[in-house]
Amino acid sequence: ISISSLLLGTTITISSNHWMMAWTGLEINTLAILPLISKPHHPRAIEAATKYFLVQAAASTLLLFSSTTNALFTGQWDVTQLTHPTSCLLLTTAISMKLGLVPFHFWFPEVLQGSSLMTSLLLTTAMKFPPITLLLMTSPSLNHTLLTTMAIASAALGGWTGLNQTQVRKILAFSSISHLGWMTIIIIYNPKLTLITFYLYCMMTAATLLTLKTTKILKLSTMMTAWTKIPSLSATLMLALLSLAGLPPLTGFLPKWLIIQELTKQEMTPTATIIALLSLLGLFFYLRLAYCATITLPPNSSNYMKQWRTNKPVNTLTTTLTIMTITLLPFSP
């Protein structure tokens, strides 16, 4: 029921023209993911579900408020006709709360840390899709300076705060925040690029999280000892992480490359320089993850549990996603 409601809510939001329908879809989505977050009977999961619920409820209310304000002043309920400046500001706030853009990002790492790996996958990919669609449809009328500032702040904060983490899910949450910064910075000038970035980000995150689920990795310390389980999977995990970081021979370089090119075309070279330098912060913690995944052998002086080599086959989805995460760069337009 929850999964089908998720699909239903997403479909309603992305295909709606009327603000009320968009809001309904977002609400259905929120209510459908709550049981999935709180499913493990653990105080941390319940806490995550509560935080998620409060934030998303506030964001939905703000969205509704912004659209009613717009309807009050302009008489338009159409999603693309959001023209009143106050409602534009409110909508930017609501959508960034939904997505976890800086300065409304605090709930996201907490919620991700409290949920299981598969729920984290849903939260980082599927749950971002409806708000991004709304942002895409309303982007021409939004405040450019505000969006650019928020995007750069997201890239910076996603990089800075991810440096000190040891929990893999939190690191992925911060990486998600910085990727969202890359998506928002280009949405006004070239919305198609935002979608490409989003799809590729979803694909790379899915590959990483499915690999982590297969090897049951949650922290950096378990990552160091997991190389004995499925060595080939550890190697591809390293490549997938470097792809998320955006290193050239891999898929993750493609969106960054296109975005920087577009920004220079728009004569925003300083912005492009800043955001490219900020991606170095992200590169650092991805490199640390990759290093833990493949290069470190834990010190053998202490007695640690060696993980058994598992013979269960890696499922086809993980394999396909990983291969695409590593090799899609030659297909760039």
Side-chain angles (χ1 to χ4, degrees):
I1 289 175
S2 293
I3 299 285
S4 50
S5 306
L6 271 180
L7 288 170
L8 174 75
T10 309
T11 318
I12 288 179
T13 304
I14 63 180
S15 56
S16 62
N17 280 325
H18 196 287
W19 273 116
M20 290 302 280
M21 286 310 286
W23 172 78
T24 313
L26 287 171
E27 281 296 302
I28 293 175
N29 252 359
T30 305
L31 292 176
I33 194 100
L34 283 173
L36 294 176
I37 302 176
S38 57
K39 203 176 75 173
H41 292 291
H42 191 273
R44 195 64 209 262
I46 309 296
E47 180 193 351
T50 315
K51 283 178 179 170
Y52 185 79
F53 172 71
L54 290 172
V55 172
Q56 298 296 318
S60 295
T61 318
L62 269 177
L63 183 110
L64 200 56
F65 182 41
S66 112
S67 48
T68 33
T69 315
N70 190 58
L72 179 72
F73 285 109
T74 62
Q76 276 290 353
W77 276 106
D78 197 331
V79 172
T80 48
Q81 301 290 323
L82 193 83
T83 46
H84 195 261
T86 317
S87 24
C88 287
L89 194 64
L90 283 167
L91 181 89
T92 315
T93 313
I95 296 284
S96 45
M97 277 174 84
K98 282 263 172 213
L99 288 171
L101 268 175
V102 173
F104 307 102
H105 63 288
F106 297 101
W107 61 275
F108 192 53
E110 297 292 323
V111 170
L112 230 62
Q113 183 55 34
S115 45
S116 68
L117 282 171
M118 291 321 283
T119 316
S120 306
L121 178 60
L122 273 179
L123 282 171
T124 41
T125 56
M127 298 303 288
K128 303 268 185 208
F129 190 45
I132 278 201
T133 336
L134 287 179
L135 195 59
L136 205 76
M137 290 196 279
T138 53
S139 61
S141 51
L142 298 179
N143 185 339
H144 294 196
T145 332
L146 180 67
L147 279 181
T148 312
T149 318
M150 285 171 82
I152 291 182
S154 297
L157 252 122
W160 276 122
T161 38
L163 294 180
N164 240 352
Q165 303 295 333
T166 52
Q167 299 284 342
V168 178
R169 282 168 297 185
K170 275 199 174 175
I171 293 182
L172 283 172
F174 288 120
S175 98
S176 175
I177 292 170
S178 58
H179 275 278
L180 277 170
W182 281 85
M183 287 172 218
T184 342
I185 204 157
I186 204 66
I187 197 159
I188 309 156
Y189 307 106
N190 195 338
K192 286 198 179 72
L193 262 185
T194 301
L195 278 184
I196 289 179
T197 314
F198 180 66
Y199 294 147
L200 288 178
Y201 163 73
C202 286
M203 186 184 72
M204 298 185 292
T205 312
T208 313
L209 277 165
L210 286 167
T211 310
L212 294 174
K213 184 177 181 290
T214 314
T215 47
K216 295 190 176 59
I217 297 173
L218 293 176
K219 309 195 283 290
L220 285 182
S221 50
T222 44
M223 205 174 205
M224 288 181 187
T225 55
W227 59 276
T228 48
K229 276 188 179 177
I230 310 176
S232 54
L233 207 57
S234 296
T236 51
L237 174 64
M238 176 186 86
L239 286 171
L241 286 165
L242 292 180
S243 179
L244 261 176
L247 284 187
L250 308 162
T251 313
F253 179 56
L254 168 65
K256 287 191 164 52
W257 178 28
L258 292 176
I259 285 175
I260 287 178
Q261 190 182 348
E262 184 65 34
L263 283 174
T264 33
K265 272 184 199 163
Q266 299 289 345
E267 295 178 0
M268 294 177 69
T269 324
T271 317
T273 316
I274 292 170
I275 202 163
L277 285 173
L278 287 173
S279 70
L280 282 175
L281 291 168
L283 177 64
F284 177 80
F285 59 77
Y286 290 120
L287 269 175
R288 197 176 64 170
L289 277 173
Y291 185 78
C292 287
T294 51
I295 308 168
T296 49
L297 292 183
N300 290 332
S301 53
S302 61
N303 299 327
Y304 72 95
M305 298 286 288
K306 222 188 187 81
Q307 311 269 358
W308 281 98
R309 175 78 61 97
T310 48
N311 278 334
K312 64 173 185 191
V314 183
N315 67 18
T316 339
L317 181 64
T318 316
T319 331
T320 323
L321 283 170
T322 310
I323 290 172
M324 284 168 71
T325 300
I326 295 168
T327 57
L328 272 190
L329 190 65
F331 291 100
S332 56

